[in-house]
């Protein structure tokens, strides 16, 4: 049961009393895990990000181009780390209406 819950939970939303920041943290990609998109099932290989240039990656809401960039690796508001589990994301969002 624990493994199944872990596979489904890619992001966690929580309030921190000690900080006045809006933070998004979690796994954008989990390796070797089947994701059922309805029309297709996908599994991301653990080598998918080898030699990938992530120097200017944008975080957007739901991949939509109609929303402003929420964070970006180029200005260091977005940090990406590939580990044994997947692609970990940490973003500190500026306080804007669209980010809220």
């Amino acid at each position: 049961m624990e493994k199944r819950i872990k596979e489904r939970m890619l992001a966690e939303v929580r309030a921190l009393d000690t900080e006045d920041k809006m933070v998004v943290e979690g796994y954008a990609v989990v390796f070797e895990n089947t994701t059922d998109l309805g029309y297709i099932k996908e599994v991301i290989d653990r080598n998918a990000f080898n030699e990938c240039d992530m120097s200017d990656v944008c975080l957007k809401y739901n991949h939509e181009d109609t929303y402003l960039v929420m964070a970006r690796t180029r200005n260091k508001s977005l940090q990406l780390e590939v580990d044994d589990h997947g692609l970990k994301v940490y973003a500190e969002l500026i306080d804007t209406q669209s980010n809220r």
Side-chain angles (χ1 to χ4, degrees), residues 3 11 28 30 33 46 50 54 57-58 61 65-66 68-69 77:
K3 184 177 182 193
V30 176
N33 186 42
R46 62 183 59 262
N50 290 0
M54 292 190 273
V57 177
C58 297
Y61 177 75
D65 286 332
T66 55
L68 296 174
V69 173
S77 60

Side-chain angles (χ1 to χ4, degrees), residues 27-87:
Y27 281 89
V29 173
V30 176
F31 297 139
E32 310 300 336
N33 186 42
T34 302
T35 302
D36 187 349
L37 300 173
Y39 59 94
I40 193 170
K41 293 181 181 180
E42 70 177 13
V43 177
I44 307 296
D45 186 271
R46 62 183 59 262
N47 297 310
F49 295 102
N50 290 0
E51 299 181 34
C52 184
D53 179 9
M54 292 190 273
S55 61
D56 191 18
V57 177
C58 297
L59 173 67
K60 292 192 170 190
Y61 177 75
N62 228 10
H63 305 276
E64 292 286 335
D65 286 332
T66 55
Y67 290 94
L68 296 174
V69 173
M70 298 172 74
R72 191 174 207 146
T73 56
R74 188 173 64 192
N75 69 5
K76 308 234 186 310
S77 60
L78 172 63
Q79 298 170 32
L80 302 173
E81 178 186 348
V82 178
D83 62 20
D84 289 336
H85 189 67
L87 176 66

